[in-house]
Structures are given as structure tokens and as C-alpha cells.
Amino acid sequence: MTFRNIRFPTGIRSGAEMGPMFSTSRARVMSGRSQRNKNWTYPARKFTVERAVTSDDLRKELLAFFYNVNGGADSFRIKDATDFEASISEGVFTYLGANRYQMWKRYTSGSYTKDIPVLLPVTGTITVTGYTETTHYTIDYTQPLGIVTMLGSPSPTAPTTWSGQYDIHAIFERDDLPMVIEEGGVFTSQVVIMEEKNTA
């Protein structure tokens, strides 16, 4: 699989269903009590995109995108309109070694927090608190990594927070692109896109 550093066309996402999904195994024991096993540590986002392609330009854009990611073979970027940015209070880091730091978004509910890895920050939107990009740190925007590399010798002070926008690392669930011709030359199409999980 190859990652294509292109974003699913935003003009085709109107009316799409999207949101996070976990995987939980459920069983009911003899006592009647339900037992559940958490299969994934982190959720996967699911996008169901179903709409009329009313413009010839949108039809061409969708076809060109599908061809260039080779159907379900190659992964790409998609913007989750329900969850695509982190504030200073939400953007955190973990240290990976060699002045490299993984980006995470922290979700807080009462006294509970859950950190979700951010793999595809959006160029031109990221701010690492107290530092300037290219002067104090670099980010590889071309791969689904979400890693900030701090610059300088000796080792610079560790970054603590970040803010900005990010995309989701995604892949088409199917290898075909069904398009139906409706009255008036309008095309309708439905595709299902799943987050490509780098972690369990």
C-alpha cells in the first residue's frame, strides 16, 4: 500500500455521514451478565459519502481521485468535518527519542481523558507553543506520522502543547466506484471510506 498525499474532494462530502467507531466483542454468560472485550485502543472513523454529483467538474474530480488512489489499494487524506482541529489545551506530545515527538489530541470528559494519535497535520495550520516552524522544529507533512522533530544542539527543550488542523488517514472500503445516471444527466454515487489505522 502507498500513501497518496492528496485529500478526498471536499465538494463531494456534503451530506456525508461520518464519525468514530470502536470494536467491542460482547457475550452474555450463564448468570445473564454481559461481558465486553475492547478490541481496539483507538477508534476508527467511518465515512459514508452518498450524494448527487450535479456538476461535470465534480464527476471528473471524483473519478480522477479514485483512479489515482487505485481504488481500495492506496491510502489518502480526508477531512472529518466533525473533528478536524485541536486547541492548545487539546494538542499534546509524547517523546519518541532523538528529539522526535508524537502529536496527540486529548479528549476530556469530566475527570477522564483519552489521547488519540494525530497522523496527518495540515500544512500551514500547526503551531507548537513557544516555537517557530523550520527554525525550531520540522514536521513531515508527506507521510501519516504526525511527528515533530525539534532542531538544535544540545537537545532543545521539549515541546508541551500544539494547536492546528489535521486530516484522517483513510482508504476506500471497496475497489469499485458505482455511479448511477439519474434524470437530467445527474449522477449519484455512494462510497464508504474507512480510517486506515496505524495503531491497534
Side-chain angles (χ1 to χ4, degrees), residues 164-182:
Q165 298 183 13
Y166 54 88
D167 288 332
I168 303 304
H169 183 208
I171 197 163
F172 284 112
E173 195 172 61
R174 293 172 50 171
D175 276 318
D176 61 326
L177 179 63
M179 300 185 75
V180 180
I181 304 177
E182 308 287 357

Side-chain angles (χ1 to χ4, degrees), residues 21-110:
M21 176 180 69
F22 281 92
S23 174
T24 307
S25 299
R26 297 171 175 84
R28 195 167 294 279
V29 297
M30 291 295 292
S31 67
R33 182 177 179 179
S34 174
Q35 291 187 341
R36 292 171 296 279
N37 183 61
K38 182 173 63 177
N39 299 322
W40 298 346
T41 302
Y42 307 114
R45 278 86 160 187
K46 181 178 181 179
F47 305 81
T48 302
V49 184
E50 182 175 11
R51 65 158 296 172
V53 181
T54 55
S55 113
D56 204 43
D57 287 341
L58 280 179
R59 176 185 63 81
K60 292 175 181 177
E61 189 176 7
L62 177 58
L63 283 171
F65 186 90
F66 194 75
Y67 287 143
N68 277 283
V69 299
N70 298 297
D74 298 331
S75 61
F76 50 87
R77 292 174 171 266
I78 188 171
K79 181 179 179 178
D80 181 350
T82 69
D83 188 5
F84 63 91
E85 57 188 344
S87 66
I88 286 292
S89 63
E90 296 169 327
V92 296
F93 291 103
T94 54
Y95 184 52
L96 301 177
N99 292 341
R100 298 163 70 245
Y101 296 82
Q102 177 65 56
M103 303 172 70
W104 301 76
K105 180 176 179 181
R106 174 163 293 170
Y107 297 81
T108 302
S109 182

Side-chain angles (χ1 to χ4, degrees), residues 123-195:
T123 304
T125 73
I126 302 301
T127 299
V128 175
T129 307
Y131 296 102
T132 302
E133 190 169 0
T134 68
T135 301
H136 302 117
Y137 68 91
T138 60
I139 303 175
D140 184 355
Y141 295 99
T142 66
Q143 295 297 323
L145 298 171
I147 294 175
V148 169
T149 301
M150 299 301 292
L151 306 175
S153 181
S155 298
T157 304
T160 55
T161 58
W162 66 274
S163 63
Q165 298 183 13
Y166 54 88
D167 288 332
I168 303 304
H169 183 208
I171 197 163
F172 284 112
E173 195 172 61
R174 293 172 50 171
D175 276 318
D176 61 326
L177 179 63
M179 300 185 75
V180 180
I181 304 177
E182 308 287 357
E183 291 184 8
V186 173
F187 290 85
T188 58
S189 180
Q190 182 188 70
V191 294
V192 176
I193 298 170
M194 289 295 300
E195 181 173 2

